[in-house]
Every structure is written in structure tokens, then in C-alpha cells.
Amino acid sequence: MSLLLFLVVIISLGCGTLPPIHVSAWQPFAATAALVGGWGLLCHVGVRLIARQAIAGDLDRWQAVTWMERQLAMFRWLTLPAIVLCLGGFGLGRILDDVAVTEQSMAVRAVVLLLPGLLMIAATYSAENYYGALLGYDQTGWRGHVRYVGQLTRTGLAWLVLPVVVLMGLCDLVSWVSADPAVNQWLMPLAVVLVVVTALPLFIRRGLKTEPMDPTRREWVTQILRAVHLQRLAVRRWDTGGTAFNAMVAGMFDPLRTMLVSDRLLDRLPDDQIAMVLLHEAAHVRRRHVPLRMLSVLPAWAAGMLVTRIAGQSDYAVTLGTAAGILFTVLILRIVSYRTERDADRYACRLAAQIGGQVPGVPSTIEQAGASLSAALTRITADHPSTRRATWLHPGLDERLDSLRIHTSPKHKTATAGTMANPAMP
């Protein structure tokens, strides 16, 4: 998950806690529309200027691409203060109680809050495609343009935004079905749990383009999962058009849990490296990392509630508490995610050493497993050096390789994998 996209969604929704103002609705809507439109125009003008320099030969094309990427990255991060300006400064997020449809529906309110940020991020995707079309890298024409922007929006933002809107719609439904506050107090949390546990993994599985693996590859993958006692985990080939090395597990409980493995990873890596990527994802499941990450957020929002209580009767009490909750969530998730990623790397090597003699293509010792996983991580990030840097939820490549080197050396290979409070592997 991108930190930027997470913040776009959470800050947009958080602006809904700002104290209301009472002005004509058209004023904030018009001001927001003008800012978003100007934002999109500025993105396109910026990449056009760079493209013209590249076409004229004033810029090396590789250097031009670097400038374009940096410029659009700057625009994407500047989306965050622009969202606050639209929703807080212009007042779009503060007039919703005076508009009938947003006052009555949490789902519609969420859409209005999210729309400025989504449009500004989509404008940067559009500018990226525009640059490619000017230099002949991408197809020209509005159909190809819409397809490009839609694809990036679907894979980047949609899987964060749509579950929020669905959840808010479900809360609307609960409030309309039952007007009794006592019933709503337990019915709404139950609806939230149902969405997170059932609807979200189904949406990810259906929202991403997937297909069955070929029978031979599927049987081999199934052997690996059966050997680590995950035989009920469904597996699908993730069709990225050959553009991505990636794998993930969507869902927390069988039979809704699915492992998605990208086409490029399956087609380009040797078996021993594919096996280690699969075992890394299996380690996340076996060590219960997803529920652990979700539970780790609870103290952050407890701290946010404490800040709200301390703020007392201030008009900005809820806003301050929300801001504190966001800050603590970002910090705690970073700490927990780094620890679970390193833990999954080490645990995957232990799994490989246990099943290497049972399944062909799987490294049979911890040292071999560490070497194969290190090679896979290096190959996966080779085409995009920027992915080797540390991100919000993943340690940098060098850190992971150093950790694997230390923990798969002979003097450490009998050590317990990880530092999380998880049961030892049987």
C-alpha cells in the first residue's frame, strides 16, 4: 500500500470532522472545481514542456523521463495540502450537514470528501500518459488515454476507495433499517467486520484481472502450499500484462483467502526463486501478520480518542483526535510492517528447509533458501531501482538482504525466526 494514497483517503475522510460552516453550497463547490481543473491543466502543461525539450534534443530522453517522474511525484504529494484547502479552506467538507443528500447518507458524504483528491491524483496519471503519447511511447487517442488512467486508478486507488464507500453504504442501510440507536450500536460494528472479512478480499480478487494457472504450474504451487499446511488457500495467476513482479494474499480466512501471483513473476523467475516468493507469502499467513497489523492500529485510534477527550469542548476536538489517530497509525503500521516483513523472510527460509526434500524446485537448506530469496528480491527490483529504497510498509532491499544474510548463516540457522509473538512452527 502506498503511503501517499493511504494519506489521500484518510485525510480526505478526516476533513469531514472539521466544524461546519454555513455558506451557500455553490461557493465551495465552484472554488474546488476551479482548483482541481487548474491542477490538471498545470500537470499537463508541465509534462508538455519537458516533452518538447526532449523532442527538440535539448534533454536526453532518459533525463527527461526522470524530470517528468519527479515533477508528477511532487504534484502527487502536493495533493495532500490541496485536499485540506478544498475541504477545509474552501469549506467543501464543512457544508455537508446543510446539503440534504450528504446529511442523510454517509456513502454520498464519503464520495464528496474523496472526490477532489481522487481527481487530482487521476490528473497526474493523465499527464503521465499524455507525456508518453507526445514522445510516441503510448497510444494516442481518447480511448487509450481513458484506459490508461482507468487502469492506474483501479490498481492504485479503487481498492482503497470502493471498500470505504461500500462500508459507508452498508452503515446507511443499517441506519435506515433500524432507527433504534441501541440496535445500531452493535449492528454497525458487525457490518464493518463483515465487509472487512468477506467483501474486501472478494473485491480485490474480482477487481484485479486474474486467471487460473496452467495445470502443471498449479499442481506444483499446490504441492508447496499443501506441504506448509495451507492446502485450502486458493491460488490465481494475476494478469498484469507482463509489467509487474508481485505476489500477495487477499483475505484473512479460508475459503475467502486467495494468493495472487503475477504473470511476470511466474514467467521470468526460476523455480527456486518463485518457491521462495510463495513461501514468503505463506509465512505471512502462517504467522498471522495481516490480523496482527490490523490489531496494531487499535492503540493508535485509542490515542486519537484520548486527544479528543483532552481537547474537551473545542470545536476542533474531533479533528485534533483524528489527526492524532492518523499520525499514530502511520507510525505504528510502519514499525509493525517492517518487523513482519523481515519475519516473513526468515520464516520462509525455515519453511523451505523443512519441505525442500518433499517438493521439487524448493531449496533444501536454510542457506540455499536465503540465497534464492535474496536473488528473487534483487531480480524483482532490478528494472526499477527506486523500488529498492525503503517505503512506508517495506524495508529497503539492502536491509532485507543483510537480514537474510545474517539469519541464514550457519551460526544462526537454528534460531527462532522473527521477533513477533507467534507460535513456533510445528
Side-chain angles (χ1 to χ4, degrees), residues 217 220 224 245 247 261 264-266 268-281 348 360-363 368-381:
R217 178 65 76 186
W220 180 69
I224 293 175
F245 284 111
V261 188
R264 191 176 187 188
L265 190 149
L266 289 169
R268 299 287 184 87
L269 296 188
D271 283 355
D272 64 311
Q273 295 179 24
I274 295 174
M276 292 311 303
V277 173
L278 297 176
L279 290 174
H280 173 89
E281 297 303 321
V362 178
Q368 291 173 356
S372 294
L373 182 53
S374 296
L377 293 171
T378 303
R379 176 63 187 92
I380 286 169
T381 57

Side-chain angles (χ1 to χ4, degrees), residues 236-247:
R236 302 279 293 179
R237 179 184 171 94
W238 181 1
D239 182 4
T240 69
T243 61
F245 284 111
N246 207 350

Side-chain angles (χ1 to χ4, degrees), residues 293-303:
R293 291 183 186 185
M294 295 182 69
L295 289 173
S296 71
V297 174
L298 296 181
W301 286 99

Side-chain angles (χ1 to χ4, degrees), residues 218-237:
R218 179 180 177 81
E219 175 59 28
W220 180 69
V221 171
T222 302
Q223 279 185 280
I224 293 175
L225 296 179
R226 188 183 300 119
V228 296
H229 310 293
L230 294 176
Q231 58 269 18
R232 298 183 63 193
L233 180 61
V235 183
R236 302 279 293 179
R237 179 184 171 94

Side-chain angles (χ1 to χ4, degrees), residues 34-366:
L35 176 62
V36 171
W39 188 275
L41 179 63
L42 194 58
C43 289
H44 287 74
V45 169
V47 300
R48 181 179 177 84
L49 291 174
I50 296 174
R52 289 181 65 180
Q53 293 183 65
I55 293 171
D58 297 333
L59 272 180
D60 176 78
R61 294 210 171 193
W62 286 111
Q63 185 181 16
V65 168
T66 301
W67 283 21
M68 182 272 295
E69 290 177 344
R70 289 177 179 174
Q71 179 175 273
L72 292 182
M74 178 190 69
F75 272 112
R76 287 171 185 141
W77 281 102
L78 287 175
T79 296
L80 300 179
I83 289 170
V84 176
L85 178 60
C86 291
L87 300 177
F90 297 158
L92 182 61
R94 306 172 68 181
I95 62 162
L96 301 183
D97 288 338
D98 293 336
V99 180
V101 64
T102 54
E103 192 273 334
Q104 295 174 2
S105 171
M106 295 176 66
V108 176
R109 179 185 290 258
V111 170
V112 173
L113 291 170
L114 290 166
L115 196 57
L118 300 184
L119 291 176
M120 285 186 278
I121 292 293
T124 65
Y125 297 155
S126 174
E128 186 177 293
N129 178 253
Y130 179 56
Y131 176 88
L134 288 174
L135 292 181
Y137 301 148
D138 292 322
Q139 293 181 349
T140 58
W142 68 270
R143 286 187 177 86
H145 187 75
V146 170
R147 190 180 305 113
Y148 182 91
V149 174
Q151 175 69 18
L152 287 181
T153 302
R154 185 178 72 174
T155 57
L157 277 169
W159 73 277
L160 279 171
V161 171
L162 288 182
V164 170
V165 176
V166 170
L167 180 59
M168 295 298 102
L170 194 56
C171 291
D172 288 339
L173 181 62
V174 169
S175 63
W176 294 336
V177 169
S178 172
D180 185 349
V183 175
N184 289 345
Q185 283 182 351
W186 63 266
L187 201 54
M188 283 192 179
L190 178 62
V192 171
V193 172
L194 287 175
V195 168
V196 171
V197 173
T198 61
L200 184 56
L202 287 174
F203 168 76
I204 294 174
R205 178 174 174 175
R206 295 183 181 276
L208 300 175
K209 189 176 180 182
T210 65
E211 60 190 14
M213 292 183 183
D214 68 80
T216 302
R217 178 65 76 186
R218 179 180 177 81
E219 175 59 28
W220 180 69
V221 171
T222 302
Q223 279 185 280
I224 293 175
L225 296 179
R226 188 183 300 119
V228 296
H229 310 293
L230 294 176
Q231 58 269 18
R232 298 183 63 193
L233 180 61
V235 183
R236 302 279 293 179
R237 179 184 171 94
W238 181 1
D239 182 4
T240 69
T243 61
F245 284 111
N246 207 350
M248 63 179 289
V249 175
M252 289 190 292
F253 304 106
D254 295 326
L256 298 174
R257 187 159 48 196
T258 304
M259 179 184 290
L260 307 178
V261 188
S262 72
D263 46 7
R264 191 176 187 188
L265 190 149
L266 289 169
D267 296 339
R268 299 287 184 87
L269 296 188
D271 283 355
D272 64 311
Q273 295 179 24
I274 295 174
M276 292 311 303
V277 173
L278 297 176
L279 290 174
H280 173 89
E281 297 303 321
H284 281 309
V285 176
R286 289 291 306 273
R287 303 284 275 181
R288 303 178 181 89
H289 287 162
V290 173
L292 181 63
R293 291 183 186 185
M294 295 182 69
L295 289 173
S296 71
V297 174
L298 296 181
W301 286 99
M305 293 172 64
L306 178 61
V307 171
T308 299
R309 181 178 290 273
I310 292 172
Q313 300 301 314
S314 169
D315 290 340
Y316 290 90
V318 177
T319 303
L320 291 172
T322 301
I326 293 172
L327 176 61
F328 287 126
T329 296
V330 170
L331 294 176
I332 290 175
L333 276 180
R334 183 191 186 280
I335 295 170
V336 173
S337 295
Y338 272 44
R339 292 170 71 91
T340 54
E341 283 301 320
R342 289 192 293 264
D343 181 64
D345 287 344
R346 297 191 290 265
Y347 198 74
C349 294
R350 292 185 63 202
L351 289 173
Q354 286 202 353
I355 70 170
Q358 306 172 35
V359 184
V362 178
S364 57
T365 68
I366 287 182

